[in-house]
Amino acid sequence: TATGTETVSVDGTFDGTGGTWNGATGKLIFILTGSAEFTTGGLTFYDLEINKADSSWVRIWDTSTVSNDLTLTEGRLLTGGSGNIQVEGDLIVVAGFNDSNPGNGLITMKGSTPQQISGTGYIPALAIDSGDTVTFANDISINDDFTYISTKLILGEGSHIAPHVTIAGGSDFTCNVGDFSGIGSGSKLYCDSSDFTTEITSIIPNQFRFPAKAGDIIMKNYTGIGVNSAILPNVIFNEGAVLGSLSLVPADIELKPWTLYAGIPAKPIRKRNKKAVMEQVKKVKQYYEKSIKK
């Protein structure tokens, strides 16, 4: 039992099964070399930090709740069994975290107030199950078997990014996904692109590049992108605009509100039923509010 901001350092295995833990506003930190098994036994921690030297790992075997911040400083985070770290505060990634192989540890952002993912580096598998906005700041990359994100990302309430989505362009740009919006599996969103007629097509140092098109991608509330679609830089989805599967939105395009687009290039097909969608949003919000109260 802690009474304030004490720090408990662990250089081996932690097993909380059958125990009690009152961390107050303190921190549990995994340190030094040598890999460690982490079984929480359902305990809740205030702050948690992974700081294992020489690419040593911490493997979590069950669900751990971090009521404040999770910090990934150095080492690797692995998942065993049903392991999952649920973060109710912010996720902070330090540049020393193993960018060549950060592990496969599942981190779930599960706050009821706005959350932020910040720092510079790579993080393992990430799930968003937040009751409010999650903002990606600085130079964060999610680079696992499912999704790659290299831009800043703002993800609104009730929104979803499916597996195998790419959101690329680097930390100079932002992809903003509004409330109750979604990006279908396999879709690619690019905030920066090259001109193949005048430029090398492989990856080269930035000082030799002259991007043909660059700009943020903005998806306002109640928007959506169907599976296996491509979005080029500087595109705005106005409220309620959606894109059908296997479609292409060229650069510098603004999609009209409450309109379904599809095709290569994407063209308006028909209007959406705003009244029906907003009635559904109202019911879903009421359901979420009742669930939180329980």
Side-chain angles (χ1 to χ4, degrees):
T1 297
T3 58
T5 58
E6 295 90 340
T7 295
V8 176
S9 298
V10 178
D11 62 4
T13 292
F14 183 101
D15 188 347
T17 305
T20 59
W21 177 275
N22 179 7
T25 56
K27 175 185 288 188
L28 176 68
I29 177 172
F30 285 89
I31 61 171
L32 302 179
T33 58
S35 299
E37 308 288 353
F38 184 22
T39 303
T40 71
L43 300 177
T44 296
F45 304 90
Y46 184 75
D47 282 332
L48 177 64
E49 181 177 350
I50 308 299
N51 192 0
K52 301 290 288 185
D54 299 331
S55 298
S56 299
W57 47 257
V58 174
R59 178 162 50 199
I60 183 167
W61 285 95
D62 57 1
T63 298
S64 170
T65 299
V66 178
S67 62
N68 194 47
D69 297 340
L70 170 63
T71 302
L72 305 178
T73 301
E74 189 172 2
R76 298 167 62 199
L77 179 63
L78 304 180
T79 291
S82 59
N84 175 19
I85 299 179
Q86 297 186 348
V87 181
E88 297 177 349
D90 294 337
L91 172 60
I92 302 158
V93 185
V94 179
F97 199 69
N98 194 333
D99 58 2
S100 62
N101 185 4
N104 66 347
L106 177 59
I107 299 170
T108 301
M109 303 301 288
K110 202 174 176 66
S112 58
T113 57
Q115 295 179 271
Q116 179 170 278
I117 301 174
S118 63
T120 302
Y122 288 79
I123 61 177
L126 182 72
I128 307 291
D129 187 20
S130 178
D132 210 306
T133 299
V134 177
T135 301
F136 287 65
N138 305 113
D139 192 5
I140 295 290
S141 289
I142 302 171
N143 190 7
D144 62 11
D145 295 336
F146 301 104
T147 297
Y148 175 79
I149 301 173
S150 68
T151 65
K152 297 182 179 71
L153 175 66
I154 300 174
L155 189 62
E157 177 186 6
S159 293
H160 175 70
I161 297 176
H164 309 294
V165 167
T166 295
I167 303 176
S171 60
D172 289 339
F173 301 102
T174 297
C175 177
N176 191 329
V177 182
D179 295 346
F180 294 96
S181 299
I183 302 175
S185 179
S187 290
K188 316 297 181 186
L189 288 73
Y190 297 101
C191 292
D192 187 3
S193 67
S194 301
D195 184 349
F196 283 6
T197 64
T198 60
E199 190 176 10
I200 298 171
T201 60
S202 62
I203 297 176
I204 58 176
N206 286 335
Q207 63 264 35
F208 300 109
R209 297 188 65 235
F210 34 94
K213 295 292 183 181
D216 298 338
I217 295 175
I218 307 298
M219 297 176 62
K220 297 183 180 180
N221 296 342
Y222 323 122
T223 57
I225 297 173
V227 300
N228 294 318
S229 293
I231 317 299
L232 297 186
N234 197 34
V235 167
I236 298 175
F237 285 70
N238 280 299
E239 182 182 274
V242 293
L243 179 70
S245 301
L246 300 168
S247 298
L248 168 67
V249 179
D252 305 324
I253 295 294
E254 187 168 344
L255 279 63
K256 297 177 182 179
W258 297 101
T259 303
L260 166 64
Y261 286 75
I264 302 176
K267 296 181 178 179
I269 304 298
R270 63 175 66 93
K271 299 295 289 185
R272 293 183 74 199
N273 188 331
K274 179 179 178 179
K275 182 178 178 180
V277 173
M278 294 310 298
E279 183 62 30
Q280 188 178 36
V281 168
K282 179 180 177 181
K283 292 178 180 178
V284 172
K285 284 186 174 182
Q286 290 173 342
Y287 172 79
Y288 284 164
E289 289 171 359
K290 290 180 180 178
S291 299
I292 292 173
K293 289 179 181 178
K294 289 180 179 180

